[in-house]
Each structure stands twice: as C-alpha cells, then as structure tokens.
C-alpha cells in the first residue's frame, strides 16, 4: 500500500515537473521571440474612384514562424484572403462624377504568435478623372479667334471655367458704332469619355437647358480650341 502511494506521489511530482518545464520553455520562447519585420509595403499613391488595385507586403521573421496578416482600410472594399497580397477596390464614383479627391488610409498588422504585432500604414488619394482634368482647365480664357464655317467672325469674349461651371461674356461685333449689350451665358459642363488633358469631348449645359451643346476640344497648355460640329464653329481661347 505504501509502495502504491509512493508511486502515485512520484507520478504527480513528475507531472508537475514536466508542466513547469513546458511552461518555462514556452515563456522562454516568448521572451526570446523576435517580432517580424515588414520590409516592403507597396501601396499606390493615387487611384481612380472604383479602380481595383493590389496591396503588397514582404515580411521577414527571424524564427520563420507562421504569420497572420490583417489589412484594414478606411473606405473601399478588400477582396480575397488576408495575406502578403490583397486586392482592394476604391469607393465608387458618386453620380455627379466631378467630385474632389478623398484620402483613404491603409493599415497592415502582422503577428507571428507573440504578444505584440508590427504594423504599417499609408494613404491613397482617390480621385475623379473628370475633376482632375477640370482642375487643369480652371481659369480665365480670352477669345483670340472665331470662325463659323471657315469664315472669321469679329467677337470679343471671355470664358471662365471652374471645375463644374462655365461663364461666357460675349461682345458681338466690337467694331460696330452701336455696341450690342454684353451677353452672359452661364451653366455647367461635363467631360465625355474618352478624354484627357490634351483632347476630348465636352457637353455644355447652359442654365435652364437640359440639352447640351456638344463640342470637341484640344489643349496644349496655352491655347484652348473648342469646336462645335453642329454649327461648324471654332473658338480659339488663350489662357
């Protein structure tokens, strides 16, 4: 009986010693575990509304432990399983199209099983292409030449553009003895795809009109040439 009790007590002590050793090893491993390091963090600087891009990261872990990745964004949609690569779709373009850019913040957290994770963050500018191009065109332009069906027309005119609106100040036949009243035309305008900084199509919507005046345009950084095919009218403005 005493031998049985001694054996049982010995097993209990052995179990306790093994548990202490295991706990000690785990604590030692935790204390000596070096955290991972995010060596590269590839995030685009800017994207268009609704565009899908890929985020990439490269992480080094001294112990080569399994890593857990957590991506977070302040707007837009992440797609796929969290890992060193993940896809993200920027927020959709609002219906009005010509809207200012917005900033989205991207966070990456990486953990290797230790108590703390390492993280990185970056920001992306999400832009509307129509707004970006409209900002380039914003300013005041002076008419230097006008032609209708190839014939020159005497006219003094100023065109003022904001990212969303236009104002035309027109003085017809400025050489006439009796001057006609200055005409003001205001409204909104919209770029029609395909378009870029140098050429494209614009729909002009005078105030009160739902039907646009359609024109093409070219721009070389100084001269803004607008052509209305319906009336075969070309206007050359200088900024």
């Amino acid at each position: 009986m005493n031998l049985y009790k001694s054996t049982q007590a010995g097993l209990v002590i052995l179990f306790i010693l093994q548990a202490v050793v295991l706990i000690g090893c785990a604590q030692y491993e935790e204390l000596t575990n070096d955290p991972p390091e995010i060596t590269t963090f590839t995030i685009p600087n800017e994207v268009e509304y609704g565009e899908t891009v890929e985020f990439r990261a490269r992480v080094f872990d001294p112990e080569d432990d399994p890593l857990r990745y957590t991506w977070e964004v302040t707007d837009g949609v992440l797609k796929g399983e969290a890992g060193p690569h993940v896809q993200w779709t920027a927020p959709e373009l609002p219906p009005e199209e010509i809207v200012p850019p917005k900033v989205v913040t991207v966070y990456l957290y990486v953990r290797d099983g230790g108590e703390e994770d390492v993280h990185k963050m970056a920001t992306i500018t999400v832009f509307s292409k129509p707004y970006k191009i409209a900002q380039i065109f914003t300013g005041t332009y002076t008419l230097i030449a006008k032609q209708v069906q190839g014939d020159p027309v005497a006219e003094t005119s100023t065109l003022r553009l904001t990212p969303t609106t236009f104002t035309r100040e027109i003085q017809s036949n400025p050489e006439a003895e009796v001057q006609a009243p200055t005409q003001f035309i205001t409204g909104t305008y919209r770029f029609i795809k395909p378009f870029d900084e140098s050429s494209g199509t614009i729909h002009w919507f005078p105030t009160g009109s739902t039907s646009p005046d359609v024109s093409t345009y070219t721009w070389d950084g100084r001269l803004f040439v607008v052509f209305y095919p319906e009336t075969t009218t070309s206007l050359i403005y200088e900024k």
Side-chain angles (χ1 to χ4, degrees):
M1 188 69 175
N2 290 337
L3 179 61
Y4 173 76
K5 289 184 177 180
S6 298
T7 302
Q8 192 175 35
L11 290 173
V12 170
I13 293 172
L14 180 61
F15 176 78
I16 292 173
L17 288 174
Q18 287 178 333
V20 170
V21 170
L22 289 174
I23 293 172
C25 289
Q27 290 178 338
Y28 176 78
E29 183 178 351
E30 185 175 315
L31 290 172
T32 58
N33 180 63
D34 292 321
E37 178 186 358
I38 302 174
T39 56
T40 61
F41 188 52
T42 306
I43 306 294
N45 292 324
E46 61 177 20
V47 300
E48 283 193 65
Y49 279 95
E51 184 179 356
T52 297
V53 295
E54 187 174 63
F55 301 157
R56 291 176 171 269
R58 182 173 295 173
V59 181
F60 169 74
D61 186 76
E63 290 80 30
D64 201 24
D65 293 328
L67 301 175
R68 186 176 66 187
Y69 297 80
T70 302
W71 294 87
E72 294 180 0
V73 291
T74 55
D75 205 346
V77 179
L78 291 167
K79 298 179 180 179
E81 295 183 2
H85 305 160
V86 68
Q87 284 193 331
W88 171 74
T89 299
E92 293 298 323
L93 181 66
E96 56 268 27
E97 292 188 357
I98 299 183
V99 294
K102 70 183 305 180
V103 175
V104 174
T105 305
V106 181
Y107 302 92
L108 170 62
Y109 302 89
V110 182
R111 177 173 290 190
D112 66 351
E115 288 292 328
E116 298 182 2
D117 53 33
V118 293
H119 66 276
K120 288 267 190 182
M121 65 167 287
T123 58
I124 303 174
T125 300
V126 182
F127 68 91
S128 156
K129 183 179 178 180
Y131 184 89
K132 192 172 185 179
I133 298 298
Q135 278 191 310
I136 296 172
F137 283 85
T138 295
T140 301
Y141 299 79
T142 301
L143 183 69
I144 60 175
K146 177 179 179 179
Q147 288 186 343
V148 177
Q149 296 182 348
D151 297 324
V153 175
E155 181 177 289
T156 300
S157 177
T158 300
L159 173 65
R160 296 181 180 87
L161 296 178
T162 74
T164 58
T165 66
F166 72 89
T167 300
R168 288 196 186 101
E169 183 178 339
I170 303 170
Q171 179 66 62
S172 300
N173 197 10
E175 303 298 328
E177 293 184 6
V178 179
Q179 295 290 317
T182 300
Q183 183 182 9
F184 291 90
I185 301 175
T186 62
T188 61
Y189 67 98
R190 178 178 297 176
F191 292 96
I192 304 300
K193 295 180 179 179
F195 65 90
D196 57 26
E197 182 179 340
S198 60
S199 63
T201 299
I202 296 178
H203 284 186
W204 308 88
F205 294 86
T207 300
S209 174
T210 57
S211 178
D213 297 328
V214 179
S215 77
T216 60
Y217 70 88
T218 59
W219 165 252
D220 64 2
R222 186 177 71 89
L223 296 180
F224 182 42
V225 181
V226 181
F227 178 71
Y228 294 87
E230 185 175 349
T231 59
T232 323
T233 300
S234 63
L235 305 170
I236 302 177
Y237 293 96
E238 184 175 31
K239 191 172 185 180

